[in-house]
Amino acid sequence: AQRPDTRSMTCQQAASLVANRGAVVLSTGPDIYDRYVRHEGMCWSGYYGRPAFVPTRDRPNCMVGYYCASTPPFPFN
Protein backbone atom coordinates (compact mmCIF):
# COMPACT_ATOMS: atom_id res chain seq x y z
CA ALA A 1 0.00 0.00 0.00
CA GLN A 2 1.23 3.44 -0.85
CA ARG A 3 1.58 6.00 1.94
CA PRO A 4 -0.24 9.33 1.57
CA ASP A 5 2.26 11.99 0.41
CA THR A 6 1.97 15.36 2.14
CA ARG A 7 3.53 17.12 -0.85
CA SER A 8 0.41 16.40 -2.91
CA MET A 9 -1.99 17.69 -0.22
CA THR A 10 -2.84 21.10 1.16
CA CYS A 11 -1.83 21.82 4.74
CA GLN A 12 -5.47 21.50 5.82
CA GLN A 13 -5.86 18.12 4.10
CA ALA A 14 -2.71 16.71 5.71
CA ALA A 15 -3.60 18.01 9.19
CA SER A 16 -7.15 16.66 8.84
CA LEU A 17 -5.86 13.23 7.83
CA VAL A 18 -3.78 13.01 11.03
CA ALA A 19 -6.62 14.40 13.16
CA ASN A 20 -9.19 11.97 11.71
CA ARG A 21 -7.04 8.83 11.80
CA GLY A 22 -5.30 9.56 15.10
CA ALA A 23 -2.05 8.08 13.85
CA VAL A 24 -0.87 7.73 10.27
CA VAL A 25 2.36 7.10 8.37
CA LEU A 26 2.92 9.86 5.81
CA SER A 27 5.50 10.34 3.09
CA THR A 28 7.12 13.77 3.14
CA GLY A 29 9.72 13.31 0.40
CA PRO A 30 11.38 10.68 -1.79
CA ASP A 31 11.88 7.65 0.49
CA ILE A 32 11.14 9.82 3.57
CA TYR A 33 8.27 8.93 5.87
CA ASP A 34 7.31 8.93 9.53
CA ARG A 35 4.41 8.22 11.85
CA TYR A 36 2.41 11.28 12.84
CA VAL A 37 -0.10 11.38 15.68
CA ARG A 38 -3.05 13.56 16.71
CA HIS A 39 -1.70 14.28 20.20
CA GLU A 40 1.30 13.48 22.35
CA GLY A 41 -0.63 10.90 24.36
CA MET A 42 -0.68 8.66 21.28
CA CYS A 43 3.08 8.08 21.44
CA TRP A 44 4.33 4.72 22.66
CA SER A 45 5.47 4.38 26.26
CA GLY A 46 8.85 6.07 26.75
CA TYR A 47 8.36 8.36 23.74
CA TYR A 48 7.61 12.06 23.72
CA GLY A 49 5.48 14.07 21.31
CA ARG A 50 7.14 16.83 19.32
CA PRO A 51 5.31 19.25 17.00
CA ALA A 52 5.59 17.92 13.44
CA PHE A 53 6.05 20.29 10.52
CA VAL A 54 5.99 18.79 7.02
CA PRO A 55 6.02 20.15 3.45
CA THR A 56 2.61 20.38 1.77
CA ARG A 57 1.46 21.59 -1.61
CA ASP A 58 0.68 25.07 -0.24
CA ARG A 59 3.14 25.44 2.66
CA PRO A 60 6.79 24.52 3.19
CA ASN A 61 6.20 23.94 6.94
CA CYS A 62 2.72 22.78 7.88
CA MET A 63 2.05 21.56 11.42
CA VAL A 64 0.14 18.30 10.96
CA GLY A 65 0.27 17.07 14.56
CA TYR A 66 3.11 15.40 16.41
CA TYR A 67 5.85 12.87 15.87
CA CYS A 68 7.18 10.64 18.63
CA ALA A 69 10.80 10.90 19.78
CA SER A 70 12.67 8.75 22.29
CA THR A 71 14.35 11.73 23.95
CA PRO A 72 12.50 14.19 26.18
CA PRO A 73 11.80 17.62 24.69
CA PHE A 74 13.94 19.40 27.28
CA PRO A 75 17.22 18.08 28.68
CA PHE A 76 17.25 17.10 32.31
CA ASN A 77 19.81 18.84 34.52
Side-chain angles (χ1 to χ4, degrees):
Q2 194 173 12
R3 288 179 290 274
D5 192 326
T6 63
R7 298 169 300 163
S8 67
M9 299 179 220
T10 65
C11 182
Q12 178 63 43
Q13 288 170 329
S16 291
L17 188 62
V18 174
N20 292 335
R21 291 197 186 170
V24 63
V25 176
L26 298 172
S27 290
T28 57
D31 301 315
I32 303 170
Y33 59 91
D34 206 343
R35 178 179 180 262
Y36 299 95
V37 296
R38 181 185 311 138
H39 58 76
E40 298 152 283
M42 299 189 76
C43 291
W44 298 294
S45 178
Y47 281 74
Y48 304 85
R50 305 279 179 78
F53 295 88
V54 301
T56 58
R57 194 171 72 214
D58 58 340
R59 291 191 194 169
N61 290 298
C62 167
M63 185 177 170
V64 293
Y66 297 86
Y67 71 95
C68 301
S70 59
T71 53
F74 302 104
F76 294 109
N77 292 329

Coordinates of all heavy atoms in Angstrom, one line a residue:
A1 N 0.8 -1.2 0.0 CA 0.0 0.0 0.0 C 0.9 1.2 0.0 O 1.9 1.3 0.7 CB -0.9 0.0 1.2
Q2 N 0.5 2.2 -0.8 CA 1.2 3.4 -0.8 C 0.8 4.4 0.3 O -0.3 4.5 0.6 CB 1.0 4.1 -2.2 CG 1.9 5.2 -2.5 CD 1.7 5.7 -3.9 OE1 0.8 5.4 -4.6 NE2 2.7 6.5 -4.4
R3 N 1.8 5.0 0.9 CA 1.6 6.0 1.9 C 1.1 7.3 1.3 O 1.6 7.7 0.3 CB 2.9 6.3 2.7 CG 3.3 5.2 3.6 CD 4.6 5.5 4.3 NE 5.8 5.6 3.3 CZ 6.5 4.5 3.0 NH1 6.2 3.3 3.5 NH2 7.5 4.7 2.1
P4 N 0.2 8.0 2.0 CA -0.2 9.3 1.6 C 1.0 10.3 1.6 O 1.8 10.2 2.5 CB -1.3 9.8 2.6 CG -1.7 8.5 3.3 CD -0.6 7.6 3.2
D5 N 1.1 11.1 0.6 CA 2.3 12.0 0.4 C 1.8 13.4 0.7 O 0.9 13.9 0.0 CB 2.8 11.9 -1.0 CG 4.2 12.6 -1.2 OD1 4.4 13.6 -0.5 OD2 5.0 12.1 -2.0
T6 N 2.4 14.0 1.7 CA 2.0 15.4 2.1 C 2.2 16.4 1.1 O 1.5 17.4 1.0 CB 2.7 15.8 3.4 OG1 4.1 15.9 3.2 CG2 2.4 14.9 4.6
R7 N 3.2 16.1 0.2 CA 3.5 17.1 -0.9 C 2.4 17.3 -1.9 O 2.4 18.3 -2.6 CB 4.8 16.7 -1.5 CG 6.0 16.8 -0.6 CD 7.3 16.1 -1.2 NE 7.0 14.7 -1.5 CZ 7.7 14.0 -2.3 NH1 8.8 14.5 -2.9 NH2 7.4 12.8 -2.6
S8 N 1.5 16.3 -2.0 CA 0.4 16.4 -2.9 C -0.9 16.9 -2.3 O -1.9 17.0 -2.9 CB 0.2 15.0 -3.6 OG -0.3 14.1 -2.6
M9 N -0.8 17.2 -1.0 CA -2.0 17.7 -0.2 C -1.8 19.1 0.2 O -0.7 19.6 0.3 CB -2.2 16.9 1.1 CG -2.4 15.4 0.9 SD -2.5 14.7 2.6 CE -1.6 13.2 2.3
T10 N -2.9 19.8 0.5 CA -2.8 21.1 1.2 C -2.5 20.9 2.6 O -2.7 19.7 3.1 CB -4.2 21.9 1.0 OG1 -5.2 21.2 1.8 CG2 -4.6 22.1 -0.4
C11 N -2.1 21.9 3.3 CA -1.8 21.8 4.7 C -3.1 21.3 5.5 O -3.0 20.4 6.3 CB -1.4 23.2 5.2 SG -0.9 23.2 7.0
Q12 N -4.2 21.9 5.2 CA -5.5 21.5 5.8 C -5.8 20.0 5.6 O -6.2 19.3 6.5 CB -6.6 22.4 5.3 CG -8.0 22.0 5.9 CD -8.0 22.2 7.4 OE1 -7.6 23.2 7.9 NE2 -8.6 21.3 8.1
Q13 N -5.6 19.5 4.4 CA -5.9 18.1 4.1 C -4.9 17.2 4.9 O -5.4 16.2 5.5 CB -5.7 17.8 2.6 CG -6.8 18.4 1.7 CD -6.4 18.3 0.3 OE1 -5.3 18.4 -0.2 NE2 -7.5 18.2 -0.6
A14 N -3.7 17.5 5.0 CA -2.7 16.7 5.7 C -3.0 16.7 7.2 O -3.0 15.7 7.9 CB -1.3 17.2 5.4
A15 N -3.3 17.9 7.8 CA -3.6 18.0 9.2 C -4.9 17.3 9.5 O -5.0 16.6 10.6 CB -3.7 19.5 9.6
S16 N -5.9 17.4 8.6 CA -7.2 16.7 8.8 C -7.0 15.2 8.8 O -7.6 14.4 9.6 CB -8.2 17.1 7.8 OG -8.5 18.4 8.0
L17 N -6.1 14.7 7.9 CA -5.9 13.2 7.8 C -5.3 12.7 9.2 O -5.8 11.7 9.7 CB -4.9 13.0 6.7 CG -4.6 11.5 6.3 CD1 -5.9 10.8 5.8 CD2 -3.6 11.4 5.3
V18 N -4.4 13.4 9.7 CA -3.8 13.0 11.0 C -4.8 13.1 12.1 O -5.0 12.2 12.9 CB -2.5 13.9 11.4 CG1 -2.0 13.5 12.8 CG2 -1.4 13.6 10.4
A19 N -5.6 14.2 12.1 CA -6.6 14.4 13.2 C -7.7 13.3 13.1 O -8.1 12.8 14.1 CB -7.3 15.8 13.0
N20 N -8.1 13.0 11.9 CA -9.2 12.0 11.7 C -8.7 10.6 12.0 O -9.5 9.8 12.6 CB -9.8 12.1 10.3 CG -10.5 13.3 10.0 OD1 -11.0 14.0 11.0 ND2 -10.6 13.8 8.8
R21 N -7.5 10.2 11.6 CA -7.0 8.8 11.8 C -6.4 8.6 13.2 O -6.3 7.5 13.6 CB -6.0 8.5 10.7 CG -6.7 8.3 9.3 CD -5.8 7.6 8.4 NE -6.4 7.6 7.0 CZ -5.7 7.2 6.0 NH1 -4.4 6.7 6.1 NH2 -6.2 7.2 4.8
G22 N -6.0 9.7 13.8 CA -5.3 9.6 15.1 C -3.8 9.3 15.0 O -3.0 10.0 15.6
A23 N -3.4 8.4 14.1 CA -2.0 8.1 13.9 C -2.0 7.6 12.4 O -2.8 6.8 12.0 CB -1.5 7.0 14.8
V24 N -1.0 8.1 11.7 CA -0.9 7.7 10.3 C 0.6 7.9 9.8 O 1.3 8.8 10.3 CB -1.8 8.6 9.4 CG1 -1.5 10.0 9.4 CG2 -1.8 8.1 8.0
V25 N 1.0 7.0 9.0 CA 2.4 7.1 8.4 C 2.2 7.9 7.1 O 1.4 7.5 6.2 CB 3.0 5.7 8.1 CG1 4.3 5.8 7.4 CG2 3.1 4.9 9.4
L26 N 3.0 9.0 7.0 CA 2.9 9.9 5.8 C 4.3 10.0 5.1 O 5.3 10.0 5.8 CB 2.5 11.3 6.2 CG 1.1 11.4 6.9 CD1 0.9 12.9 7.4 CD2 0.0 11.1 5.8
S27 N 4.3 10.0 3.8 CA 5.5 10.3 3.1 C 5.6 11.8 3.0 O 4.6 12.6 2.8 CB 5.4 9.8 1.7 OG 5.5 8.4 1.6
T28 N 6.9 12.3 3.2 CA 7.1 13.8 3.1 C 8.2 14.1 2.1 O 8.6 15.3 2.0 CB 7.5 14.3 4.5 OG1 8.7 13.6 5.0 CG2 6.4 14.1 5.5
G29 N 8.7 13.1 1.4 CA 9.7 13.3 0.4 C 10.1 12.0 -0.2 O 9.5 10.9 0.2
P30 N 11.0 12.0 -1.2 CA 11.4 10.7 -1.8 C 12.0 9.8 -0.7 O 13.0 10.1 -0.1 CB 12.4 11.1 -2.9 CG 12.3 12.6 -3.0 CD 11.7 13.1 -1.7
D31 N 11.4 8.6 -0.5 CA 11.9 7.7 0.5 C 12.0 8.2 1.9 O 12.8 7.7 2.7 CB 13.2 7.1 0.1 CG 13.2 6.4 -1.3 OD1 12.2 5.6 -1.5 OD2 14.0 6.6 -2.1
I32 N 11.2 9.3 2.2 CA 11.1 9.8 3.6 C 9.7 9.7 4.1 O 8.8 10.1 3.4 CB 11.6 11.3 3.6 CG1 13.0 11.5 3.0 CG2 11.5 11.9 5.0 CD1 13.3 12.9 2.7
Y33 N 9.6 9.1 5.3 CA 8.3 8.9 5.9 C 8.4 8.8 7.4 O 9.5 8.5 7.9 CB 7.5 7.7 5.3 CG 8.2 6.4 5.5 CD1 8.0 5.6 6.6 CD2 9.1 6.0 4.5 CE1 8.6 4.4 6.8 CE2 9.8 4.8 4.7 CZ 9.6 4.0 5.8 OH 10.2 2.8 6.0
D34 N 7.3 9.1 8.1 CA 7.3 8.9 9.5 C 5.9 8.7 10.0 O 4.9 8.9 9.2 CB 7.9 10.2 10.2 CG 8.5 9.9 11.6 OD1 8.2 8.8 12.2 OD2 9.3 10.7 12.0
R35 N 5.7 8.4 11.2 CA 4.4 8.2 11.8 C 4.1 9.5 12.5 O 4.8 10.0 13.4 CB 4.5 7.1 12.8 CG 3.2 6.8 13.6 CD 3.3 5.6 14.5 NE 2.1 5.3 15.3 CZ 1.9 5.7 16.5 NH1 2.8 6.5 17.2 NH2 0.8 5.4 17.1
Y36 N 2.9 10.0 12.2 CA 2.4 11.3 12.8 C 1.1 11.0 13.6 O 0.3 10.1 13.2 CB 2.1 12.3 11.7 CG 3.4 12.6 11.0 CD1 3.7 12.0 9.8 CD2 4.3 13.6 11.5 CE1 4.9 12.2 9.1 CE2 5.5 13.8 10.9 CZ 5.8 13.2 9.7 OH 7.0 13.4 9.0
V37 N 1.0 11.7 14.8 CA -0.1 11.4 15.7 C -0.9 12.7 16.0 O -0.4 13.8 15.9 CB 0.4 10.7 17.0 CG1 1.0 9.4 16.7 CG2 1.4 11.6 17.7
R38 N -2.1 12.5 16.4 CA -3.0 13.6 16.7 C -2.6 14.3 17.9 O -2.7 15.6 18.0 CB -4.4 13.0 17.0 CG -5.5 14.1 17.3 CD -6.8 13.5 17.6 NE -7.3 12.5 16.7 CZ -7.9 11.3 17.0 NH1 -8.1 11.0 18.3 NH2 -8.2 10.4 16.1
H39 N -2.2 13.6 19.0 CA -1.7 14.3 20.2 C -0.6 13.4 20.8 O -0.4 12.3 20.6 CB -2.8 14.6 21.2 CG -3.6 13.4 21.6 ND1 -3.2 12.5 22.5 CD2 -4.8 12.9 21.2 CE1 -4.0 11.5 22.6 NE2 -5.1 11.7 21.8
E40 N 0.1 14.1 21.7 CA 1.3 13.5 22.4 C 1.0 12.2 23.1 O 1.8 11.3 23.2 CB 2.0 14.5 23.3 CG 2.4 15.7 22.6 CD 2.5 17.0 23.4 OE1 1.4 17.5 23.6 OE2 3.6 17.4 23.8
G41 N -0.2 12.1 23.6 CA -0.6 10.9 24.4 C -0.7 9.6 23.5 O -0.8 8.5 24.0
M42 N -0.6 9.8 22.2 CA -0.7 8.7 21.3 C 0.7 8.1 21.0 O 0.8 7.1 20.2 CB -1.4 9.1 20.0 CG -2.8 9.5 20.2 SD -3.7 9.7 18.7 CE -4.1 8.0 18.3
C43 N 1.7 8.6 21.6 CA 3.1 8.1 21.4 C 3.2 6.8 22.3 O 2.5 6.7 23.3 CB 4.1 9.1 21.8 SG 4.2 10.5 20.7
W44 N 4.1 5.9 21.9 CA 4.3 4.7 22.7 C 5.0 5.1 24.0 O 5.6 6.2 24.1 CB 5.3 3.8 21.9 CG 4.7 3.3 20.6 CD1 3.6 2.5 20.4 CD2 5.1 3.7 19.3 NE1 3.4 2.3 19.1 CE2 4.3 3.0 18.3 CE3 6.2 4.5 18.8 CZ2 4.4 3.1 17.0 CZ3 6.3 4.6 17.4 CH2 5.5 3.9 16.5
S45 N 4.9 4.2 24.9 CA 5.5 4.4 26.3 C 7.0 4.7 26.1 O 7.7 4.0 25.4 CB 5.3 3.1 27.1 OG 5.9 3.3 28.3
G46 N 7.4 5.7 26.8 CA 8.9 6.1 26.7 C 9.2 7.0 25.6 O 10.3 7.4 25.4
Y47 N 8.2 7.4 24.8 CA 8.4 8.4 23.7 C 7.6 9.7 24.1 O 6.7 9.7 24.8 CB 7.9 7.8 22.4 CG 8.8 6.8 21.8 CD1 9.0 5.5 22.3 CD2 9.6 7.1 20.7 CE1 9.9 4.6 21.8 CE2 10.5 6.2 20.2 CZ 10.6 5.0 20.7 OH 11.5 4.1 20.2
Y48 N 8.1 10.7 23.4 CA 7.6 12.1 23.7 C 7.1 12.7 22.4 O 7.8 12.6 21.4 CB 8.7 12.9 24.3 CG 9.3 12.3 25.6 CD1 10.3 11.4 25.5 CD2 8.8 12.7 26.8 CE1 10.9 10.8 26.6 CE2 9.4 12.1 28.0 CZ 10.4 11.2 27.9 OH 10.9 10.6 29.0
G49 N 6.0 13.4 22.5 CA 5.5 14.1 21.3 C 6.2 15.4 21.0 O 6.5 16.1 22.0
R50 N 6.5 15.6 19.8 CA 7.1 16.8 19.3 C 6.3 17.4 18.2 O 5.8 16.6 17.3 CB 8.5 16.6 18.8 CG 9.5 15.9 19.7 CD 10.1 16.9 20.7 NE 10.9 16.2 21.6 CZ 12.2 15.8 21.4 NH1 12.7 16.0 20.2 NH2 12.9 15.3 22.3
P51 N 6.1 18.7 18.1 CA 5.3 19.2 17.0 C 5.9 18.8 15.7 O 7.2 18.9 15.5 CB 5.4 20.8 17.2 CG 5.7 20.9 18.7 CD 6.5 19.7 19.1
A52 N 5.1 18.4 14.7 CA 5.6 17.9 13.4 C 5.2 18.9 12.3 O 4.1 19.2 12.1 CB 5.0 16.6 13.1
F53 N 6.2 19.4 11.7 CA 6.1 20.3 10.5 C 6.5 19.6 9.3 O 7.7 19.1 9.2 CB 6.9 21.6 10.7 CG 6.4 22.4 11.9 CD1 6.9 22.2 13.2 CD2 5.4 23.4 11.7 CE1 6.4 22.9 14.3 CE2 4.9 24.1 12.8 CZ 5.4 23.9 14.1
V54 N 5.7 19.5 8.3 CA 6.0 18.8 7.0 C 5.7 19.7 5.8 O 4.9 20.6 5.9 CB 5.2 17.5 6.9 CG1 5.5 16.6 8.1 CG2 3.7 17.7 6.8
P55 N 6.3 19.4 4.7 CA 6.0 20.1 3.5 C 4.7 19.7 2.9 O 4.4 18.5 2.8 CB 7.2 19.8 2.5 CG 7.6 18.5 3.0 CD 7.4 18.4 4.4
T56 N 3.9 20.7 2.5 CA 2.6 20.4 1.8 C 2.6 21.2 0.5 O 3.5 22.0 0.2 CB 1.4 20.7 2.6 OG1 1.5 22.1 3.0 CG2 1.3 19.9 3.9
R57 N 1.6 20.9 -0.3 CA 1.5 21.6 -1.6 C 1.4 23.1 -1.5 O 2.0 23.8 -2.3 CB 0.2 21.1 -2.3 CG 0.1 21.4 -3.8 CD -1.1 20.7 -4.4 NE -2.3 21.4 -4.0 CZ -3.5 20.7 -3.8 NH1 -3.5 19.4 -4.0 NH2 -4.6 21.3 -3.4
D58 N 0.8 23.6 -0.4 CA 0.7 25.1 -0.2 C 1.6 25.7 0.8 O 1.6 26.9 1.0 CB -0.8 25.4 0.0 CG -1.4 24.7 1.3 OD1 -0.8 23.7 1.7 OD2 -2.4 25.2 1.8
R59 N 2.3 24.9 1.6 CA 3.1 25.4 2.7 C 4.4 24.6 2.8 O 4.4 23.4 2.8 CB 2.4 25.4 4.0 CG 1.3 26.4 4.1 CD 0.8 26.5 5.5 NE -0.5 27.1 5.6 CZ -1.3 27.2 6.6 NH1 -0.9 26.6 7.8 NH2 -2.4 27.8 6.6
P60 N 5.5 25.3 3.0 CA 6.8 24.5 3.2 C 6.9 23.9 4.6 O 7.6 22.9 4.8 CB 7.9 25.6 3.0 CG 7.2 26.9 3.3 CD 5.8 26.7 2.9
N61 N 6.2 24.5 5.6 CA 6.2 23.9 6.9 C 4.8 24.0 7.5 O 4.4 25.0 8.1 CB 7.2 24.8 7.8 CG 8.6 24.5 7.4 OD1 9.1 23.4 7.5 ND2 9.3 25.6 7.0
C62 N 4.1 22.9 7.4 CA 2.7 22.8 7.9 C 2.7 21.9 9.1 O 3.2 20.8 9.1 CB 1.8 22.2 6.8 SG 0.2 21.6 7.4
M63 N 2.1 22.4 10.2 CA 2.0 21.6 11.4 C 0.9 20.6 11.3 O -0.3 21.0 11.2 CB 1.9 22.4 12.7 CG 1.9 21.5 13.9 SD 1.8 22.4 15.5 CE 1.5 21.0 16.6
V64 N 1.2 19.3 11.2 CA 0.1 18.3 11.0 C -0.3 17.6 12.2 O -1.2 16.8 12.3 CB 0.6 17.3 9.9 CG1 0.7 17.9 8.5 CG2 1.8 16.6 10.3
G65 N 0.5 17.8 13.3 CA 0.3 17.1 14.6 C 1.6 16.9 15.3 O 2.4 17.9 15.4
Y66 N 1.9 15.7 15.7 CA 3.1 15.4 16.4 C 3.8 14.2 15.9 O 3.2 13.3 15.3 CB 2.8 15.2 17.9 CG 2.2 16.4 18.6 CD1 0.8 16.6 18.5 CD2 3.0 17.3 19.2 CE1 0.2 17.7 19.1 CE2 2.4 18.4 19.8 CZ 1.1 18.6 19.7 OH 0.5 19.8 20.3
Y67 N 5.1 14.1 16.1 CA 5.9 12.9 15.9 C 6.4 12.4 17.2 O 6.5 13.2 18.2 CB 7.0 13.0 14.8 CG 8.1 13.9 15.2 CD1 9.3 13.3 15.8 CD2 8.1 15.3 15.1 CE1 10.4 14.0 16.2 CE2 9.2 16.0 15.5 CZ 10.3 15.4 16.0 OH 11.4 16.2 16.4
C68 N 6.7 11.2 17.3 CA 7.2 10.6 18.6 C 8.7 10.4 18.6 O 9.2 9.8 17.7 CB 6.5 9.3 18.9 SG 4.7 9.5 18.9
A69 N 9.3 11.0 19.7 CA 10.8 10.9 19.8 C 11.1 10.2 21.1 O 10.4 10.3 22.1 CB 11.4 12.3 19.7
S70 N 12.3 9.5 21.1 CA 12.7 8.7 22.3 C 13.4 9.6 23.3 O 13.5 9.2 24.5 CB 13.6 7.6 21.9 OG 14.7 8.1 21.3
T71 N 13.7 10.8 23.0 CA 14.4 11.7 23.9 C 13.3 12.8 24.4 O 12.5 13.2 23.6 CB 15.6 12.4 23.3 OG1 15.2 13.1 22.1 CG2 16.7 11.4 23.0
P72 N 13.4 13.2 25.7 CA 12.5 14.2 26.2 C 12.7 15.5 25.5 O 13.8 15.8 25.0 CB 12.8 14.3 27.7 CG 14.0 13.4 27.9 CD 14.4 12.7 26.7
P73 N 11.7 16.4 25.4 CA 11.8 17.6 24.7 C 12.8 18.6 25.3 O 13.4 19.4 24.6 CB 10.4 18.2 24.7 CG 9.6 17.3 25.6 CD 10.3 16.1 25.9
F74 N 13.0 18.5 26.6 CA 13.9 19.4 27.3 C 14.9 18.6 28.1 O 14.5 17.6 28.7 CB 13.2 20.3 28.2 CG 12.2 21.2 27.5 CD1 10.8 20.9 27.7 CD2 12.5 22.2 26.7 CE1 9.9 21.6 27.0 CE2 11.6 23.0 26.1 CZ 10.2 22.7 26.2
P75 N 16.2 18.9 28.0 CA 17.2 18.1 28.7 C 17.0 18.2 30.2 O 16.7 19.3 30.7 CB 18.6 18.7 28.2 CG 18.3 20.0 27.6 CD 16.8 20.0 27.2
F76 N 17.3 17.1 30.8 CA 17.2 17.1 32.3 C 18.6 17.6 32.8 O 19.6 17.2 32.3 CB 16.9 15.7 32.8 CG 15.6 15.2 32.5 CD1 15.4 14.2 31.5 CD2 14.4 15.8 33.0 CE1 14.1 13.7 31.2 CE2 13.2 15.3 32.7 CZ 13.0 14.3 31.8
N77 N 18.6 18.3 33.9 CA 19.8 18.8 34.5 C 20.3 17.9 35.6 O 19.5 17.2 36.2 CB 19.6 20.2 35.1 CG 19.4 21.3 34.1 OD1 19.9 21.1 33.0 ND2 18.6 22.3 34.4

